[in-house]
Amino acid sequence: MCDQTFVAITFGPCDCCGKASPLMNIYIKSEATNYCSFCVEVMATQGLQAGESAASLKKESDSLKKKLEEERAKLSDIELSQVAEKIEVLAPLSIKTRRVLKGHGNKVLCMDWCKDKRRLVSSSQDGKVIVWDAFTLNKEHGVTLPCTWVLACAYAPSGCAVACGGLDNKCSVFPLSLDKNENLNTKKKSVAMHTNYVSGCTFTSSDMQILTSSGDGTCALWDVESGQLLQSFHGHTADVLSLDLAPSETGNTFVSGGCDRKANVWDMRSGQNIQSFECHESDINCVKYYPSGDAFASASDDATCRFYDLRADREVAVYQKDSIIFGASTVDFSLSGRLLFAGYNDYTINAWDVLKGTRVSALFGHENRVSRVRVSPDGTALCSASWDNTLRYLGFGWATYSTVSKGFR
Amino acid sequence: MTINTLARGGWDREQMACFQKMEKVIVAMQDPDMGMKMRNQRLLITVIPHAMTGRDMITWLIQKYCICEEEALHISGMLVRYGYVYPLKEPRSLVLRPDESPYRFQTPYFWTSTRWPASELDYAIYLAKKNIRKQGELMEYEKERYSVLHKRINHTWDFVVMQAREQLRASKQRRKADRIVLECQEQAYWLINRPQPGAHNVLDMGLERPNNLSARVTLVSDIITFLYVSYVPVPFVKYSEQYQNHDPIMQGCLPSNPWISDDTAYTRVLGHLVLLVPAFAAPVDLVERWSFSFMELLNDIMGRREFMIYLEKEFSAENLCFWQACEDIRHGESSRIVEKVEEIYKNFLTPGAARWVNVDSKTMDKTLKGIRHPHRFVMDDAQMHIYFLMKKDSYPRYLKSDLYKNLLAKAIMNCPTCLFVLSACSPS
């Protein structure tokens, strides 16, 4: 008869979850404990210590956050609107639609200006990417991507190429040729490869690198020529919906916002997440830097836009109103940073006074969601792209414009 | 990645948040004290209770939220579009008319936010009811859908017709006013959930976004001491004030905003496909902006060129050349990094080089060591050093130089509106 060895299994309440089940005898920091197999798995994958669980850690972090907020509140901080009290109130803007660009057959999802201040590129749900001359309303180039929902498009700094990406999980760069008859698809270069849709892309200071954000929760920096991944940025726990490059002297950081309600600031060189802001109550749809690079704004589905000071590492202003019910999908600053234009899902664009926190103007005209607003590089016009298949150029004049030539201050 | 459909699982967090807010507005409107005044509306020969006019809604919104009429019209239009309020006259057109047309609040049963699945069976029953009630009441697209459904769920067709008949029989026992109201309610619901092909679909939410991918909590265990200082956000005010005169949106920009006047004299065409613009055409505000910060000067192509001209006069042009070469490495192609680093070493860093840059010894040592294994950021420290050298030394001197002052004066002279300003400002 062979020697039969029996494994003695203890049965009883688990030290972690308390449920009665077969227990495993394990050692945590040389302490013997009895956990059920499920708790052992959980602990092993999440790096928990004895007596901890994901829920208890979350509770601990929430209470620490609350404590931080309480400490902050005790200080006598001065609000942005208080400092801005001495500045004069802005007169109501008179904004008129100067041009309407029709040509897309489906929702326009994204647009970007060229540095020459008159060309722009736009992309739509049906896979078409069009380069327009805004003054003459001519379509200069057109490409059809093999995928639908082209969520991101960007113009290269030199004006010689455009990058676009979307549901194909890729970001491709198309060099623009002077020959109008040439099919741009022949020179297409696939640069970025993600495991989910590409939600945003931008060139860095040259045509040779692009930065992309994706629904797979990461951002990445790519070398255009070789398609090589130069740096990837992990830290978001849900889809990343937007990103923006900092206009700073050192040009080394960018901010991204996503469905995990966080706006993260990253160092492009090391891949580290250097700052994080979690103030919104819902998905962050768009982030944009203030012109000086010391702050940025975010637009979210909770119908607010917020303004964050990077050096002070805190949220500084919230732009909201009771009558604004629908989420904000896009933001951009005017050239001086005094005005913040935000496009909403209720088809309107609101212009906010950044310093005073009040709304200056509400713009109506689109017949469906506003997906993107962008101020032209010289600050003279605002372009808005919408799900009503059109793009609109809005020009500005002040109510007192006619008196500028007469009176002086 | 799925495109959102009207399937039960397709309701976004965003959508629910909007609906909840709209519902708050609707509930506030119906508040017995602060809400709107309801009255009986006459519809042909029937009197419908608890109705209001479009004008009433707009007035109430203006008063409650202190907004202008256009915005109130817009908000009430959205309420109608999303089915929270439906029109009694012309029930097919979900549009808010700011006049005496009667509207009613939709019953919560039919609110878009209840996750009542608008299934094919329900739609079939609705269309069957309409068909039985009055022949020819179905629109073209409804007829098509009806026949498609008939084919698709043929096995339940007896049930559909039976249900339709039962519901019609039950409604006949109601008063005429109630019957009209119920019909309108149901019609509004289906107009939103099954819109006419080609009509605007308010429930189209775009791409679906999955929920949080992980509930992982990363707790940083080391203790971080914060130095809390009271916060005063002055820098933004200063920045905005400085740039206010140069923001075309804030001022009428000079000479004229091309978007308003179609005048292209103000635009410059950049990009290396096109020729550079001659110096004297620099608009005055751009030249002024170069004096705001070193970054403004370097970021502008013309500014950089002018600064180079000045540095050449001062025999310190190698600094700017070095900085540009380093930028080229940082943002250029990966394949050419090694070759570019070699070039920089040969031209700028070798002792006795033609364009030797003055970098402090510590940085120089670090850079030379790094060059043995060249990578994209190997020149960063040296570049930063030279950048700050130029910023602290050459840049302020440039702003005080005759070269810059002449350029500014020329730019002002070339700007016709500026002359007007200057002449009017002179003391009389």
Side-chain angles (χ1 to χ4, degrees):
Chain A
M1 227 160 82
C2 56
D3 199 358
Q4 290 177 315
T5 327
F6 292 92
V7 175
I9 302 176
T10 46
F11 191 88
C14 164
D15 283 341
C16 178
C17 64
K19 285 194 273 200
S21 49
L23 299 174
M24 290 173 65
N25 199 343
I26 53 167
Y27 290 88
I28 300 175
K29 286 197 171 158
S30 40
E31 241 184 68
T33 42
N34 289 320
Y35 275 12
C36 68
S37 56
F38 181 70
C39 291
V40 171
E41 284 270 353
V42 166
M43 197 184 62
T45 52
Q46 293 188 358
L48 298 168
Q49 306 291 328
E52 286 178 349
S53 69
S56 75
L57 282 180
K58 185 127 199 351
K59 228 166 69 183
E60 200 178 333
S61 84
D62 282 341
S63 75
L64 278 173
K65 252 192 239 170
K66 224 175 104 193
K67 240 177 159 175
L68 264 167
E69 288 305 319
E70 283 169 15
E71 287 298 314
R72 272 209 184 121
K74 287 189 194 148
L75 299 169
S76 55
D77 293 334
I78 299 181
E79 291 301 319
L80 182 56
S81 46
Q82 285 172 275
V83 177
E85 257 166 29
K86 302 174 247 154
I87 312 176
E88 59 187 57
V89 178
L90 292 175
L93 287 172
S94 108
I95 301 180
K96 289 203 183 69
T97 302
R98 302 286 168 193
R99 310 255 196 295
V100 179
L101 268 71
K102 295 190 188 167
H104 278 291
N106 218 316
K107 309 184 172 85
V108 186
L109 302 172
C110 186
M111 56 95 27
D112 191 25
W113 286 94
C114 177
K115 283 219 164 72
D116 73 359
K117 304 156 200 171
R118 65 187 273 173
R119 280 177 187 77
L120 57 96
V121 62
S122 62
S123 64
S124 77
Q125 185 195 347
D126 56 7
K128 285 219 169 54
V129 175
I130 301 180
V131 176
W132 311 76
D133 175 338
F135 274 11
T136 59
L137 298 189
N138 282 342
K139 299 187 191 51
E140 302 213 328
H141 301 95
V143 191
T144 308
L145 269 71
C147 70
T148 57
W149 290 87
V150 186
L151 295 165
C153 62
Y155 225 116
S158 69
C160 301
V162 292
C164 43
L167 267 195
D168 54 354
N169 298 358
K170 293 197 273 227
C171 187
S172 318
V173 174
F174 294 87
L176 298 174
S177 77
L178 289 170
D179 178 5
K180 300 273 165 74
N181 294 326
E182 191 181 340
N183 183 2
L184 290 181
N185 259 315
T186 51
K187 294 239 190 79
K188 165 177 164 176
K189 204 185 288 188
S190 255
V191 176
M193 292 278 280
H194 279 280
T195 53
N196 215 323
Y197 65 90
V198 170
S199 56
C201 74
T202 178
F203 284 87
T204 60
S205 333
S206 80
D207 284 11
M208 294 296 133
Q209 290 181 329
I210 53 170
L211 193 57
T212 57
S213 65
S214 163
D216 62 11
T218 66
C219 303
L221 182 67
W222 309 84
D223 175 57
V224 172
E225 199 191 26
S226 61
Q228 194 194 7
L229 172 68
L230 297 172
Q231 184 65 259
S232 74
F233 305 91
H234 297 263
H236 279 287
T237 50
D239 304 22
V240 184
L241 295 178
S242 166
L243 56 83
D244 188 35
L245 216 49
S248 73
E249 290 176 313
T250 48
N252 256 338
T253 59
F254 73 95
V255 65
S256 68
C259 291
D260 56 355
R261 310 173 186 179
K262 289 211 201 98
N264 290 338
V265 181
W266 309 85
D267 175 44
M268 286 211 298
R269 189 176 155 174
S270 62
Q272 292 282 342
N273 177 0
I274 44 185
Q275 277 175 295
S276 183
F277 302 88
E278 191 173 353
C279 306
H280 274 292
E281 292 156 20
S282 189
D283 304 356
I284 294 181
N285 289 317
C286 186
V287 286
K288 197 78 176 53
Y289 267 98
Y290 186 73
S292 73
D294 297 325
F296 70 95
S298 62
S300 160
D301 280 343
D302 64 4
T304 66
C305 298
R306 288 167 202 251
F307 189 55
Y308 309 82
D309 183 338
L310 287 168
R311 286 195 278 204
D313 193 32
R314 53 179 281 171
E315 173 199 279
V316 168
V318 183
Y319 307 108
Q320 63 187 346
K321 207 169 184 302
D322 279 344
S323 60
I324 297 175
I325 296 171
F326 287 78
S329 58
T330 172
V331 272
D332 198 7
F333 284 98
S334 72
L335 197 133
S336 64
R338 180 72 194 272
L339 288 171
L340 181 73
F341 295 99
Y344 290 78
N345 292 341
D346 67 349
Y347 325 163
T348 62
I349 299 173
N350 288 316
W352 297 90
D353 181 335
V354 170
L355 303 176
K356 289 193 184 282
T358 54
R359 186 176 60 176
V360 174
S361 257
L363 312 172
F364 304 92
H366 275 297
E367 289 152 24
N368 206 331
R369 280 197 198 191
V370 179
S371 52
R372 191 81 149 177
V373 286
R374 277 288 176 266
V375 174
S376 67
D378 59 358
T380 51
L382 177 72
C383 177
S384 63
S386 159
W387 282 17
D388 64 2
N389 307 358
T390 66
L391 294 111
R392 277 167 196 255
Y393 300 118
L394 307 161
F396 303 94
W398 285 89
T400 55
Y401 181 74
S402 57
T403 63
V404 167
S405 49
K406 283 194 283 181
F408 302 95
R409 279 166 279 153
Chain B
M1 237 331 91
T2 53
I3 313 279
N4 194 10
T5 60
L6 293 172
R8 189 184 290 174
W11 297 103
D12 274 337
R13 294 180 291 279
E14 164 204 353
Q15 211 174 18
M16 288 311 287
C18 283
F19 290 150
Q20 278 160 8
K21 288 187 194 153
M22 279 197 276
E23 280 153 25
K24 277 207 188 96
V25 177
I26 292 288
V27 167
M29 274 184 170
Q30 293 178 66
D31 185 76
D33 303 315
M34 299 297 292
M36 290 171 39
K37 292 276 173 297
M38 315 276 242
R39 41 190 125 131
N40 295 344
Q41 284 286 343
R42 182 153 238 131
L43 198 67
L44 294 176
I45 47 168
T46 341
V47 174
I48 315 273
H50 300 301
M52 66 265 185
T53 65
R55 174 65 28 204
D56 285 342
M57 270 177 54
I58 293 175
T59 320
W60 187 87
L61 282 168
I62 292 177
Q63 201 196 24
K64 163 107 173 163
Y65 292 115
C66 308
I67 50 181
C68 65
E69 172 152 352
E70 198 181 2
E71 194 178 350
L73 182 61
H74 183 82
I75 295 178
S76 39
M78 294 304 277
L79 289 173
V80 176
R81 263 197 234 240
Y82 275 86
Y84 285 98
V85 170
Y86 60 88
L88 287 171
K89 270 198 206 136
E90 285 180 61
R92 282 205 158 269
S93 145
L94 291 180
V95 162
L96 186 110
R97 278 175 236 286
D99 51 23
E100 300 305 308
S101 342
Y103 291 85
R104 263 185 124 254
F105 290 109
Q106 178 66 287
T107 171
Y109 178 71
F110 280 130
W111 277 358
T112 333
S113 61
T114 55
R115 292 161 164 240
W116 194 60
S119 70
E120 289 186 329
L121 195 62
D122 299 310
Y123 193 41
I125 295 174
Y126 165 68
L127 288 176
K129 266 202 294 192
K130 269 190 116 174
N131 207 13
I132 296 173
R133 196 186 306 139
K134 192 157 112 186
Q135 285 292 343
E137 200 176 316
L138 285 180
M139 313 262 318
E140 271 309 313
Y141 74 93
E142 283 174 333
K143 284 193 193 130
E144 276 172 49
R145 287 189 186 155
Y146 191 54
S147 47
V148 165
L149 282 170
H150 183 72
K151 272 188 228 134
R152 223 193 342 241
I153 53 173
N154 207 335
H155 51 282
T156 59
W157 207 250
D158 292 334
F159 175 73
V160 166
V161 173
M162 193 250 306
Q163 269 292 300
R165 288 221 170 91
E166 280 300 309
Q167 289 184 17
L168 277 175
R169 199 174 53 80
S171 75
K172 277 207 175 79
Q173 293 169 355
R174 293 206 173 89
R175 290 185 304 150
K176 181 131 191 243
D178 289 343
R179 218 182 318 145
I180 293 180
V181 157
L182 286 169
E183 277 168 22
C184 282
Q185 283 175 347
E186 207 181 1
Q187 180 166 58
Y189 177 81
W190 285 110
L191 275 174
I192 289 174
N193 281 281
R194 293 281 192 273
Q196 192 169 353
H200 183 58
N201 178 6
V202 284
L203 295 179
D204 184 0
M205 303 302 288
L207 278 187
E208 205 171 298
R209 301 168 189 169
N211 289 315
N212 278 349
L213 298 173
S214 82
R216 201 168 299 158
V217 177
T218 22
L219 193 65
V220 178
S221 57
D222 42 305
I223 299 166
I224 305 161
T225 13
F226 286 97
L227 178 66
Y228 276 119
V229 179
S230 290
Y231 173 69
V232 182
V234 171
F236 304 121
V237 176
K238 286 218 170 96
Y239 185 91
S240 289
E241 279 181 335
Q242 189 182 40
Y243 278 82
Q244 185 140 330
N245 292 335
H246 297 269
D247 187 345
I249 295 174
M250 313 285 292
Q251 317 284 328
C253 71
L254 309 168
S256 59
N257 187 330
W259 298 103
I260 294 176
S261 67
D262 282 342
D263 169 21
T264 55
Y266 186 62
T267 38
R268 302 184 304 158
V269 183
L270 297 176
H272 72 252
L273 295 171
V274 188
L275 295 170
L276 288 174
V277 180
F280 61 74
V284 62
D285 64 322
L286 247 139
V287 180
E288 256 187 52
R289 268 165 64 184
W290 297 346
S291 64
F292 288 171
S293 75
F294 191 36
M295 190 169 74
E296 284 280 341
L297 179 67
L298 284 188
N299 281 345
D300 184 47
I301 289 188
M302 271 189 54
R304 209 189 277 196
R305 210 172 44 143
E306 291 298 320
F307 189 52
M308 180 70 91
I309 294 174
Y310 170 75
L311 287 178
E312 274 163 12
K313 284 219 170 109
E314 301 262 308
F315 302 108
S316 49
E318 68 273 1
N319 287 335
L320 189 57
C321 294
F322 175 71
W323 182 85
Q324 278 181 179
C326 292
E327 278 289 288
D328 199 25
I329 291 188
R330 267 210 319 177
H331 298 286
E333 306 100 309
S334 293
S335 52
R336 294 187 54 203
I337 289 182
V338 179
E339 132 193 10
K340 285 183 188 170
V341 170
E342 288 275 331
E343 282 252 353
I344 289 191
Y345 176 70
K346 217 173 40 184
N347 289 331
F348 298 100
L349 297 175
T350 328
R355 293 192 284 176
W356 189 78
V357 284
N358 190 1
V359 183
D360 69 285
S361 56
K362 194 166 138 214
T363 316
M364 182 66 93
D365 284 340
K366 193 165 168 214
T367 311
L368 291 177
K369 224 190 284 179
I371 286 181
R372 285 191 223 135
H373 309 280
H375 60 91
R376 190 174 289 272
F377 302 108
V378 69
M379 292 292 172
D380 267 11
D381 291 327
Q383 183 184 9
M384 191 70 60
H385 181 91
I386 295 293
Y387 178 84
F388 282 111
L389 196 71
M390 288 195 287
K391 182 174 171 183
K392 293 213 180 76
D393 184 32
S394 318
Y395 174 61
R397 281 192 289 120
Y398 172 62
L399 292 180
K400 298 202 193 90
S401 71
D402 289 331
L403 215 63
Y404 178 72
K405 291 200 177 137
N406 288 341
L407 199 66
L408 191 60
K410 225 189 279 182
I412 292 176
M413 286 230 329
N414 277 330
C415 171
T417 344
C418 270
L419 278 172
F420 188 42
V421 173
L422 289 171
S423 65
C425 275
S426 57
S428 46

